[in-house]
Amino acid sequence: MNILVTGGAGFIGANYVRQVLDAGGDRIVNLDALTYAGNLENLAGYDENPDYRFVRGDIRDRDLLDALFAEERIEAVVNFAAESHVDRSIDGPREFLEANIMGTQCLLEAARQAGVARFLQVSTDEVYGSLGAEGLFTEASPIQPNSPYAASKAAADLVCRAYFHTYGFPVLITRCSNNYGPYQFPEKLIPLMIANALEDRPLPVYGDGRNVRDWLYVADHCSAIDTVLRRGTPGEVYNIGGCNEMENIAIIRRLLGLLEKDESLITYVTDRPGHDRRYAIDASKIERDLGWTPAHRFDDGIAATVAWYLDNRSWWESVRDGTYQSYYDRMYGAEGRHGSS
Ligand code: NAD
Ligand code: TDX
C-alpha cells in the first residue's frame, strides 16, 4: 500500500514507520511539521530506503496535501500528527484545537477528495475522561474529555465519525492507553523520570503520585494500529491497551530501581489542574474481532526502554536543550505552576 503517515517524526509515528518499513511491502510518505516534538533523528538510517519519503509540512496545508495525494497515489492515511502533551495544552490550549481538530478535518477532506481507501485516526483513551477505582473504558463509554488536549482529540474523533456517517468515508479510530518506549520525548512521565534520574535531578511527582495509567509498549501500539489499518471495519472504534494499570509512584520507584538511583530524588509537586485520576482500557474488542494482543510484558518493555535511554544519552540530551529547556523551566521552575509544594 502507499501510506501517508502524518506525525511520523514523533514518538509513536517514528516507531510505526520503522516497524512498517522493516516488515517491507509498503511505501510510506511521512508528512511532519517538525514541531518541538518532531525529530528526524528518530528515523536516522531510513532516508535511503526507496520505500520511504519524508516531507516537511503541516496537515493544515491543503494545497500540499492535494499535491501529495495525487503525486504519491496515496491509498491509506494514518494520522498521528497532533500536539500531544497535556501540560502544554493547559499552558496554551489554542494550538491544540487548531492542530488537532482543524488539522484532522483538513486531512480528512483532502483524503476524501482524493478517494483514499482507509483513514486511521490515532486517538487516545483520554477522550473518555477519568475513571473511579472500578471499571474499564469500552468503546461505548461516554466521551468526557477533561483537558484541552483530550477535548481536542475528542473533537477530532467526532469529526472523523461525521465523515464516516455523512460521506461514507472509510474512517477507523483507535483509542490507546499510555505508551512508553524508545524515542519518547522527555516531557512525558517515563522518559522525563529516566533522564532526570540519570542527571540526579529531582523527579517531579504530581499530587499524591497515585494516579493510575494503563501502560503499553509502543511497538504493541504500532502493531495494533497496523492491524486495524489493514483489517478493521470502517466506522468502528477500537480500544488498545495492555491490561497494565500502575500508579505513577510505582512506575517511578521501578525506574529508580532499574537505574540504581536513590528514592530521595522523588519530589512531590503541585498537582496538574484537572488531573485525571485513573485510565484503564478494555481491549477485548480488538482481540475478539481482529486477533490482536500485546506481545511485550511490562517488565520486559520497561527494561528495554531504560536500556535504550542509557544507550542513547546523546539523543535525549540534545532534545533537552533549546526550546524544551525554556519550557521546562516555565513548568517546573521556581515561578512555574508545578513549583514544589
Ligand atoms: P509526539 O508529540 O511525540 O509527536 C507528534 C508528531 O506530530 C511530531 O513529530 C510533530 O512534529 C507532529 N505534528 C504536530 N502537529 C503537526 C501538524 N499540524 N502537522 C504535521 N505534523 C504535526 O506524539 P506521540 O506521543 O507520538 O503521539 C502520536 C499520536 O498518538 C497523537 O495523535 C497522540 O494524541 C496519540 N496518542 C499518544 C499516546 C501516548 O501515550 N503518547 C497514547 C495514545 C494516543
Ligand atoms: O512530571 C510529571 N509528573 C507526573 O507526576 C509528568 C510529566 C507527569 N506526571 C503524571 C501525570 C500523569 O498522571 O504522570 C502521568 C502520565 O503523565 P504524561 O506522561 O504527561 O501522560 P498523560 O497525561 O497520561 O497523557 C499521555 O497518555 C495519553 C500522553 O501524553 C497522551 O498523548 C496520550 O493521549
Side-chain angles (χ1 to χ4, degrees), residues 118-138:
R118 315 277 284 178
F119 185 108
L120 190 146
Q121 174 70 3
V122 181
S123 186
T124 167
D125 59 359
E126 298 200 17
V127 301
Y128 298 123
S130 185
L131 291 165
E134 301 291 320
L136 302 171
F137 295 130
T138 73

Side-chain angles (χ1 to χ4, degrees), residues 84-87 124-126 149 176-178 187-190 192-193 204-206 211 213 215 248 272 275-276 279 332:
S84 70
H85 191 41
V86 172
D87 291 323
T124 167
D125 59 359
E126 298 200 17
Y149 162 71
C176 189
S177 58
N178 286 57
E187 65 186 349
K188 307 277 166 58
L189 180 76
I190 288 179
L192 177 72
M193 297 299 159
V205 182
Y206 297 167
N211 299 66
R213 298 293 183 264
W215 294 93
N248 294 337
R272 171 187 281 174
H275 194 176
D276 285 338
Y279 304 146
Y332 298 103

Side-chain angles (χ1 to χ4, degrees), residues 36-303:
Y36 80 94
N39 185 350
L40 289 178
E41 286 290 310
N42 300 355
L43 286 159
Y46 285 78
D47 325 3
E48 304 303 317
N49 187 322
D51 293 327
Y52 175 67
R53 176 183 171 196
F54 174 75
V55 177
R56 183 173 190 176
D58 198 298
I59 57 169
R60 290 164 287 188
D61 183 343
R62 181 64 196 271
D63 291 342
L64 173 61
L65 292 176
D66 287 346
L68 279 181
F69 281 119
E71 89 202 21
E72 295 285 352
R73 295 198 211 92
I74 298 296
E75 299 161 280
V77 174
V78 183
N79 184 27
F80 291 96
E83 290 293 333
S84 70
H85 191 41
V86 172
D87 291 323
R88 288 181 190 261
S89 83
I90 295 167
D91 206 33
R94 191 183 177 107
E95 177 59 13
F96 281 71
L97 273 56
E98 288 177 351
N100 299 0
I101 307 171
M102 295 315 294
T104 299
Q105 190 275 331
C106 185
L107 189 61
L108 278 165
E109 188 58 29
R112 183 175 82 87
Q113 297 289 347
V116 164
R118 315 277 284 178
F119 185 108
L120 190 146
Q121 174 70 3
V122 181
S123 186
T124 167
D125 59 359
E126 298 200 17
V127 301
Y128 298 123
S130 185
L131 291 165
E134 301 291 320
L136 302 171
F137 295 130
T138 73
E139 290 82 358
S141 296
I143 302 295
Q144 293 178 326
N146 291 322
S147 71
Y149 162 71
S152 72
K153 294 294 290 187
D157 283 12
L158 297 181
V159 179
C160 287
R161 177 188 158 89
Y163 265 68
F164 174 75
H165 284 275
T166 305
Y167 306 112
F169 184 59
V171 179
L172 304 127
I173 297 174
T174 55
R175 295 190 181 133
C176 189
S177 58
N178 286 57
N179 284 212
Y180 68 96
Y183 303 104
Q184 188 166 27
F185 196 87
E187 65 186 349
K188 307 277 166 58
L189 180 76
I190 288 179
L192 177 72
M193 297 299 159
I194 295 173
N196 277 19
L198 287 172
E199 292 184 333
D200 293 308
R201 292 164 68 173
L203 309 190
V205 182
Y206 297 167
D208 64 4
R210 302 200 57 196
N211 299 66
V212 171
R213 298 293 183 264
D214 180 355
W215 294 93
L216 183 70
Y217 193 58
V218 63
D220 285 329
H221 186 189
C222 293
S223 73
I225 286 171
D226 210 50
T227 300
V228 173
L229 180 70
R230 290 168 209 276
R231 295 195 282 109
T233 303
E236 292 292 314
V237 174
Y238 295 90
N239 280 354
I240 303 169
C243 270
N244 183 56
E245 289 182 54
M246 290 181 77
E247 289 186 348
N248 294 337
I249 193 67
I251 296 263
I252 291 164
R253 292 210 165 98
R254 174 74 70 91
L255 293 172
L256 286 170
L258 287 166
L259 293 164
E260 298 178 356
K261 292 284 183 176
D262 199 86
E263 292 200 1
S264 59
L265 290 173
I266 294 173
T267 310
Y268 287 91
V269 300
T270 309
D271 207 355
R272 171 187 281 174
H275 194 176
D276 285 338
R277 191 63 177 170
R278 176 173 166 257
Y279 304 146
I281 278 278
D282 176 344
S284 55
K285 175 176 172 177
I286 187 173
E287 179 173 359
R288 190 180 57 243
D289 291 2
L290 304 178
W292 177 89
T293 50
H296 299 84
R297 292 184 322 125
F298 182 75
D299 287 354
D300 301 330
I302 200 68

